[in-house]
Amino acid sequence: MARYELLYGKKCRSPIHWDETGERKFLGPQLVKKTSDAIKKIKARMLTSQSRQKSYADPKRRDIEFQVGEHVFLRISPMKSVKCFGKRGKLSPRFIAPFEILEKVGQVAYRLALPPALSAVHNVFHVSMLRKYVSNPTHVLSYDTLELAPDLSYEEQPVQILDRKDKVLRNKTIFLIKVLWKNNKVEEATWELESEMRTQYPELFRFLEKFGKGKAVVERQ
């Protein structure tokens, strides 16, 4: 039962439970003793519950300490329609990375060197939000610089024709080609209309080499 009902002998009158009112005398040593016993029982059961929850949490806890100058990952929890760390959505990464520790604040907090893009975020974080980063030369990835438009978009360019096929409909036949785009993997190649690709990218078909059953492989020079 609820603690209110245990102490006063009746349910709390709330919109959920609107109990009938009535007169009751709260006098005498028996009532004081009964109330004291109920309070002791409540405290004992709360202590038991806290001890049980503590025994569940303690095996997962460990003392973590970082040194100034180390690099750590920062854990974020993106919420729907909230874009605090530049990330939003359930498929966003749970860690952004890695940042240098500038200072230890108190016993369990650290000040990080955040980039200018995160200048609106307070740079002191609890140790539970940090994960140690172990430097490894293989983590440095080489990438090509993208030419971005003023609105931070870029135009995809076709690189290679991987395959061709004819899609037969009821009244006509559509000619399709499988195109590999720049800055994408082979698994991300898409099927496009051959007529539209010839109009937009005529240079892609200058070195067309046909072989087999209508298949073709083209390298853009």
Side-chain angles (χ1 to χ4, degrees):
M1 63 178 66
R3 283 177 284 178
Y4 185 93
E5 184 179 357
L6 183 62
L7 287 174
Y8 301 107
K10 64 178 181 179
K11 296 183 178 180
C12 179
R13 298 180 73 233
S14 66
I16 300 176
H17 179 81
W18 196 261
D19 200 3
E20 295 295 334
T21 60
E23 296 183 357
R24 185 174 180 179
K25 297 181 180 180
F26 293 93
L27 299 174
Q30 294 182 354
L31 182 61
V32 175
K33 184 178 183 302
K34 184 178 179 181
T35 303
S36 301
D37 295 341
I39 293 176
K40 291 180 181 179
K41 185 185 295 185
I42 292 173
K43 290 183 178 180
R45 292 184 177 180
M46 291 181 64
L47 182 61
T48 303
S49 178
Q50 292 173 357
S51 300
R52 186 189 308 113
Q53 296 298 327
K54 186 175 183 299
S55 65
Y56 295 157
D58 283 348
K60 301 179 182 179
R61 291 176 178 169
R62 53 197 177 104
D63 296 332
I64 302 177
E65 186 175 359
F66 301 104
Q67 303 297 328
V68 176
E70 292 183 347
H71 287 73
V72 293
F73 290 104
L74 176 60
R75 180 168 63 90
I76 60 176
S77 299
M79 295 180 293
K80 187 176 182 179
S81 303
V82 176
K83 193 174 182 180
C84 183
F85 291 89
K87 309 292 183 182
R88 182 173 61 185
K90 64 180 181 180
L91 298 181
S92 299
R94 290 296 178 259
F95 291 89
I96 56 177
F99 304 112
E100 183 182 358
I101 296 179
L102 299 179
E103 179 187 359
K104 183 175 182 180
V105 181
Q107 298 296 327
V108 292
Y110 295 87
R111 189 184 307 277
L112 304 183
L114 299 181
L118 300 179
S119 58
V121 181
H122 189 53
N123 60 353
V124 176
F125 300 92
H126 190 266
V127 67
S128 62
M129 300 183 64
L130 307 178
R131 292 293 182 274
K132 187 174 182 179
Y133 168 72
V134 180
S135 178
N136 192 328
T138 60
H139 292 170
V140 180
L141 304 178
S142 59
Y143 58 92
D144 299 329
T145 304
L146 297 177
E147 296 181 3
L148 300 179
D151 59 350
L152 300 182
S153 63
Y154 71 96
E155 182 181 359
E156 287 280 9
Q157 294 293 333
V159 176
Q160 181 180 356
I161 297 178
L162 302 177
D163 198 356
R164 297 182 67 185
K165 71 177 181 180
D166 302 338
K167 187 174 182 180
V168 180
L169 303 180
R170 178 176 298 179
N171 299 325
K172 61 180 179 179
T173 301
I174 300 177
F175 303 99
L176 301 176
I177 57 174
K178 191 174 184 180
V179 181
L180 174 64
W181 300 91
K182 189 177 181 181
N183 303 317
N184 289 310
K185 300 179 181 179
V186 177
E187 295 80 5
E188 299 174 346
T190 59
W191 288 96
E192 307 290 342
L193 291 175
E194 183 175 349
S195 58
E196 294 183 359
M197 295 298 297
R198 284 184 180 275
T199 303
Q200 297 180 10
Y201 308 100
E203 65 278 6
L204 189 65
F205 295 85
R206 293 176 183 174
F207 305 94
L208 186 63
E209 299 176 359
K210 295 183 179 181
F211 69 95
K213 298 180 181 179
K215 295 184 178 181
V217 176
V218 175
E219 286 288 347
R220 187 177 181 186
Q221 302 296 328

